[in-house]
Amino acid sequence: MKTSNIFTPAALFIAASLAISGSVLAQERQLAVAYKNVINRTGAPQYMQDYDADDHQRFNPLFDDGAWHGHLLPANADGMGGFPGPALLTEEYINFMADNFDRLTLYKNGKKVALSMTAYSIPGALYQKLTAPGISVEMTLRFATARTSLLETKITTDTPLELVWDGALLEKLHAKEQQPQTDKTIEQAFPDYSRKILPTADGLTVTFGKVRSPSVLMTSGESEYQIHKSLPMLTSVKGHEFSGKASIQGSTTIYTTYSHLLTAQEVQLEQPKIADVLAHPQRYMTASAERWEAYLRKGLTNPHATQDQERVAVKAIETLNANWRGAAGAMKFDSVTPSVTGRWFSGNQTWPWDTWKQAYAMAHFNPEVAKDNIRAVFAFQIQPDDPVRPWDAGFVPDLIAYNLSPERGGDGTNWNERNTKPSLAAWSVMEVYKTTGDKQWLAEMYPRLVAYHDWWLKNRDHNHNGVPEYGATRDKAHNTADGQMLFTVKRGEHEQALHGLKNYDQLLHTGKYDSIEIPAQVAASWESGRDDAAAFGFIDADQLANYVEQGGKKQDWQVKFAENRAQDGTLLGYSLLQESVDQASYMYSDNKYLAEMADILGYQDQAADFRSKASKLASYINTCMFDERSGFFYDIRIEEQPLANGCAGKPIVERGKGPEGWSPLFNGAANQQHADAVVKVMKDTREFNTYVPLGTAALTNPAFGADIYWRGRVWVDQLYFGLKGMEQYGYRQDAEAMAAAFFKHADGLVTDGPIRENYNPLNGQQQGAPNFSWSAAHLYMLYNDFFTQQK
């Protein structure tokens, strides 16, 4: 592949660093400044919940260093002199505290100074320059600790000035058009929130009352937002407004810290850190700048990428670091959340599926956080003496968060143990090892990975053939107290709640239903990471009617279940009566990576065992899960008796093609003949090769919809898995071409908008939560592996 002689800022910087000498920090700042305004960080929030049309916060504050608050750049002249917000992470949800808090205004001889403003962001910092004749104000905001941001304000003047800072807490909950049924203020909606501004000798403190409102606002009653300045400030407070005054006689530099602290213990622990920041502010400013330059130097290593592609890589790095949360609440380690501005994804809600991908990418530029993200998930791996579900030893919960579930003594509603996620943990752990060479890391994680691996075979392998199924745990959402599976039958406008597998199977046999809702089916789809995929029987009513009209049976789309029980009869959970080709493929690579780790750690017998399992899985996948007629891989049904060739059943071709079909290629389990056939389907414009390629259902899939979550939209992880699979089997050039088509047609990539969840395959429109981590992770992987200048 020929490339043009156009150099990206990173390439030029590396060359310059080799050619010239000078201060390290000056060189580093040259690189950071090359990426101004990669993400639009301007905003003027008017509501605590300043949502977009999809109920996500509509601005993109700068978060960094694991902090629990973020700042914006001014969107207009009214915000000049301040950094709008802050946005506060109230345990598990993001909410704005103010439009502009601690905004600076200058007065000379009693008259307000008219200033002009230049403002921009660079990776890790916000910058403003305010100027007037004879006066210059340079403001740089960075993060100093996991709870505190630091503002440097350099004022250059040859005359005395009066400095006035002001701010007001927001009063409106949300825009009336977003919630037309109510027009409540924050105080009316949450009377116990009791926000108070208290003046201090060097700033102020905002205190918050205790609120436990799931899905909106969670506070301990001990949380505070503190402002401290390096010079004395006389603060006056009137209700939810404040003003602070100080005077200077000439040029000076002022430092201000902003801290969001969630508990009384955090308040106590952060005070000496704040004192140290104010005692040595330049040390912290320099450390932040050097930290970010290290991210860029380590992360931007593709000499063949275009400048636009490199900016997207920087956007991905900024996004992942912004979603990094310091340990808090129930969380024992730092973690990375799906989206700091996503309504359902902020706080420190952490999923294993997201974690494996985020850590894989961050290993290349922020490896310690990558490690902690994985540690955070495994910190809640179920142990044999677990008080809630000891039968699930080795299991990793699907969602962990700031607040434990009621079953574990908390009041959280996000914590989820109904399912886990696919076996990609070893893939991620191994990538961290490859980038760090840290053998101790492997020794730490290996027993946890083996326990997770064994759980799949013990609790999700119904027919005990070494090919685990997706399923659902034993849980109050799935079954009655005596272990009977729950489901609801819909006939016309009538619903009937039933339970028991015998009743369920009998209902399927009669076909006397319009639809059936099964909580265990939902959990099984969550367990796959593909929430409403066609492979798991999800199809819209009109699509199903059309399918039946074309000669199909509605029972084709109804999944079956089996109870998994221990030898003593203890109910362990449920399996779908189908073996999923993607999970089988992930399990293949899980064995492969565990064997590699065992070799490194000196466990030769275990390595041999894992390799044997991998070989058997590869043979099974190619023998049982490939359909010769359509040239694609599918899930297979588990019949009452295995087929003559040893397969559990036949491929479920009728539910159409999805990205699970190229999972054997991504994981390296497919043989070359089958891989050739799959790539042919992937390249077919009547199947997956759309305007934005490799969506989550083929155009021919009966359940396809361009805007359906996992039955049409293009998710960047599945795209990347497809391209890596093509590359492994000799189709590198085709993979590069598809990567180029994605980059060209996916809306918003090269603009300053945030990275979103997914894209419409037919028109490229971006959809879903903004500032989305796993999209960022896989965009970074695409930059590393496939983005290249093409002539």
Side-chain angles (χ1 to χ4, degrees):
M1 182 66 65
K2 294 182 178 180
T3 60
S4 61
N5 294 320
I6 299 173
F7 297 99
T8 64
L12 290 171
F13 169 73
I14 292 168
S17 297
L18 294 172
I20 64 173
S21 61
S23 79
V24 173
L25 184 58
Q27 290 181 8
E28 288 170 343
R29 283 180 174 167
Q30 289 173 11
L31 181 57
V33 172
Y35 303 104
K36 292 181 180 178
N37 300 323
V38 170
I39 298 174
N40 180 0
R41 300 208 180 275
T42 63
Q46 300 301 301
Y47 312 95
M48 187 180 91
Q49 300 172 336
D50 211 327
Y51 291 161
D52 62 16
D54 296 319
D55 280 359
H56 304 297
Q57 293 285 15
R58 63 191 180 97
F59 303 117
N60 310 299
L62 174 69
F63 286 82
D64 185 27
D65 210 11
W68 287 72
H69 68 282
H71 304 274
L72 292 162
L73 287 172
N76 49 50
D78 187 57
M80 183 189 306
F83 293 89
L88 303 182
L89 294 174
T90 54
E91 298 187 5
E92 299 184 18
Y93 308 99
I94 183 172
N95 292 291
F96 278 103
M97 186 183 92
D99 171 12
N100 214 328
F101 213 66
D102 204 40
R103 173 180 51 190
L104 174 63
T105 304
L106 305 183
Y107 290 84
K108 181 178 178 181
N109 298 325
K111 294 183 178 180
K112 182 178 178 180
V113 177
L115 298 163
S116 60
M117 176 180 65
T118 299
Y120 58 83
S121 68
I122 60 173
L126 301 177
Y127 178 82
Q128 277 186 66
K129 186 170 184 178
L130 313 177
T131 56
I135 299 173
S136 172
V137 182
E138 290 186 71
M139 307 174 75
T140 304
L141 187 146
R142 291 183 174 275
F143 282 80
T145 78
R147 295 295 183 274
T148 297
S149 51
L150 173 61
L151 172 62
E152 178 185 76
T153 305
K154 291 183 177 180
I155 303 175
T156 304
T157 178
D158 54 8
T159 59
L161 294 172
E162 183 181 27
L163 314 180
V164 176
W165 292 271
D166 74 314
L169 302 177
L170 289 169
E171 301 297 343
K172 297 178 181 179
L173 181 60
H174 41 55
K176 190 172 182 180
E177 58 268 22
Q178 292 174 331
Q179 299 282 347
Q181 71 275 18
T182 178
D183 194 23
K184 288 184 179 179
T185 65
I186 297 170
E187 297 300 308
Q188 290 169 335
F190 305 108
D192 294 332
Y193 201 19
S194 306
R195 299 170 298 160
K196 297 177 182 177
I197 303 175
L198 307 175
T200 63
D202 63 351
L204 59 84
T205 296
V206 183
T207 63
F208 307 92
K210 184 176 182 178
V211 178
R212 311 305 290 171
S213 179
S215 302
V216 184
L217 179 64
M218 304 280 274
T219 56
S220 65
E222 303 170 346
S223 60
E224 296 183 359
Y225 185 78
Q226 296 184 357
I227 299 177
H228 299 272
K229 293 188 182 295
S230 61
L231 83 172
M233 180 176 78
L234 181 62
T235 303
S236 60
V237 176
K238 184 179 180 181
H240 287 166
E241 301 179 7
F242 85 94
S243 66
K245 296 182 179 180
S247 297
I248 59 173
Q249 299 305 307
S251 297
T252 191
T253 300
I254 303 164
Y255 291 94
T256 307
T257 59
Y258 305 101
S259 306
H260 182 215
L261 310 166
L262 289 89
T263 64
Q265 184 182 29
E266 287 195 5
V267 170
Q268 181 181 3
L269 291 175
E270 193 69 12
Q271 298 316 300
K273 296 179 184 179
I274 293 170
D276 193 62
V277 171
L278 290 174
H280 309 97
Q282 196 52 50
R283 179 197 301 168
Y284 285 88
M285 296 296 285
T286 300
S288 171
E290 290 179 344
R291 178 167 55 84
W292 269 94
E293 294 302 325
Y295 297 149
L296 298 177
R297 284 198 314 274
K298 291 177 181 177
L300 302 178
T301 57
N302 180 356
H304 305 296
T306 67
Q307 291 188 24
D308 280 346
Q309 290 167 345
E310 190 166 270
R311 282 183 70 84
V312 170
V314 173
K315 185 188 290 191
I317 292 171
E318 287 200 63
T319 299
L320 286 162
N321 279 342
N323 290 334
W324 160 23
R325 297 280 75 74
M331 300 292 285
K332 300 174 183 178
F333 296 93
D334 289 10
S335 63
V336 180
T337 67
S339 167
V340 71
T341 55
R343 181 174 180 182
W344 311 113
F345 300 135
S346 53
N348 64 348
Q349 299 170 51
T350 303
W351 280 259
W353 188 227
D354 305 59
T355 292
W356 314 147
K357 302 165 188 178
Q358 293 155 186
Y360 188 100
M362 294 183 79
H364 292 261
F365 58 85
N366 197 346
E368 293 309 310
V369 171
K371 289 179 182 178
D372 274 351
N373 194 181
I374 294 172
R375 288 182 178 119
V377 170
F378 276 102
F380 292 98
Q381 185 173 36
I382 302 302
Q383 301 302 312
D385 59 352
D386 186 77
V388 177
R389 50 177 68 253
W391 54 84
D392 270 321
F395 170 82
V396 173
D398 178 50
L399 195 164
I400 55 178
Y402 188 100
N403 295 293
L404 295 168
S405 65
E407 291 82 0
R408 296 196 176 276
D411 62 355
T413 58
N414 289 311
W415 193 280
N416 180 32
E417 298 182 12
R418 293 175 58 185
N419 54 279
T420 185
K421 280 294 189 283
S423 310
L424 266 179
W427 168 76
S428 184
V429 168
M430 198 65 193
E431 187 69 7
V432 173
Y433 170 74
K434 288 177 181 177
T435 60
T436 63
D438 185 354
K439 187 175 177 180
Q440 184 56 43
W441 163 248
L442 286 188
E444 174 189 349
M445 297 311 302
Y446 180 77
R448 293 166 173 79
L449 293 170
V450 172
Y452 191 32
H453 176 95
D454 291 346
W455 174 87
W456 278 101
L457 296 175
K458 179 172 70 77
N459 286 38
R460 284 290 189 277
D461 185 11
H462 182 69
N463 54 2
H464 307 292
N465 67 345
V467 186
E469 308 89 25
Y470 291 129
T473 62
R474 173 176 152 186
D475 190 276
K476 64 183 180 182
H478 304 146
N479 52 265
T480 62
D482 61 349
Q484 299 294 307
M485 191 185 79
L486 301 168
F487 61 99
T488 301
V489 184
K490 291 188 175 182
R491 301 183 183 93
E493 297 181 358
H494 300 285
E495 293 186 0
Q496 183 181 11
L498 297 171
H499 60 265
L501 275 179
K502 287 184 179 179
N503 290 332
Y504 177 73
D505 291 340
Q506 184 178 1
L507 178 68
L508 293 188
H509 181 72
T510 65
K512 294 179 179 179
Y513 59 88
D514 290 332
S515 64
I516 310 173
E517 291 185 358
I518 313 141
Q521 180 186 18
V522 172
S525 73
W526 289 350
E527 191 156 276
S528 77
R530 297 180 292 118
D531 297 1
D532 62 351
F536 309 113
F538 292 97
I539 187 170
D540 289 353
D542 58 335
Q543 294 173 330
L544 181 59
N546 184 62
Y547 176 80
V548 172
E549 218 174 88
Q550 301 297 318
K553 300 176 182 178
K554 68 178 181 180
Q555 285 92 336
D556 292 343
W557 293 83
Q558 205 61 54
V559 295
K560 290 189 175 183
F561 292 89
E563 293 178 347
N564 295 322
R565 293 186 177 272
Q567 289 184 349
D568 64 1
T570 299
L571 178 65
L572 302 175
Y574 301 90
S575 280
L576 290 177
L577 277 175
Q578 66 185 62
E579 293 172 342
S580 293
V581 64
D582 56 334
Q583 174 57 2
S585 301
Y586 296 140
M587 202 66 174
Y588 164 83
S589 63
D590 193 58
N591 280 293
K592 181 177 65 176
Y593 289 120
L594 286 173
E596 192 175 350
M597 292 179 200
D599 278 337
I600 295 169
L601 296 172
Y603 306 138
Q604 275 71 36
D605 289 346
Q606 294 179 37
D609 182 54
F610 285 126
R611 286 197 173 89
S612 175
K613 289 178 181 177
S615 177
K616 290 176 182 177
L617 274 168
S619 176
Y620 189 88
I621 289 166
N622 284 286
T623 300
C624 303
M625 296 179 160
F626 186 80
D627 176 64
E628 296 287 349
R629 183 174 180 180
S630 60
F632 209 65
F633 286 101
Y634 300 87
D635 291 10
I636 61 175
R637 283 192 176 86
I638 298 177
E639 305 293 352
E640 291 186 9
Q641 295 295 326
L643 304 183
N645 60 1
C647 299
K650 295 180 180 179
I652 311 174
V653 176
E654 55 270 25
R655 293 186 197 154
K657 303 179 185 74
E660 64 276 6
W662 56 73
S663 188
L665 281 66
F666 167 67
N667 290 282
N671 63 36
Q672 187 65 49
Q673 180 183 352
H674 290 164
D676 292 342
V678 171
V679 171
K680 183 178 179 181
V681 173
M682 294 167 73
K683 291 168 59 178
D684 191 336
T685 56
R686 298 164 298 180
E687 297 279 6
F688 289 103
N689 196 6
T690 46
Y691 182 72
V692 175
L694 303 188
T696 46
L699 296 178
T700 57
N701 192 309
F704 171 83
D707 285 326
I708 298 178
Y709 208 47
W710 280 97
R711 302 204 305 276
R713 296 187 193 181
V714 177
W715 289 75
V716 192
D717 63 331
Q718 303 301 312
L719 167 76
Y720 176 80
F721 292 164
L723 300 186
K724 287 299 286 185
M726 293 170 74
E727 179 188 44
Q728 284 201 66
Y729 288 88
Y731 294 91
R732 167 79 191 185
Q733 196 167 14
D734 294 295
E736 284 186 0
M738 280 194 174
F742 169 78
F743 190 82
K744 181 179 179 181
H745 296 148
D747 183 44
L749 278 185
V750 298
T751 70
D752 62 2
I755 294 170
R756 291 189 177 267
E757 277 187 272
N758 44 56
Y759 300 86
N760 183 302
L762 304 183
N763 60 26
Q765 183 180 358
Q766 56 183 333
Q767 302 165 337
N771 300 295
F772 197 69
S773 284
W774 100 34
S775 294
H778 286 281
L779 281 169
Y780 178 76
M781 295 178 210
L782 287 170
Y783 158 80
N784 263 351
D785 294 349
F786 293 108
F787 285 168
T788 183
Q789 300 178 50
Q790 296 194 358
K791 278 194 175 182

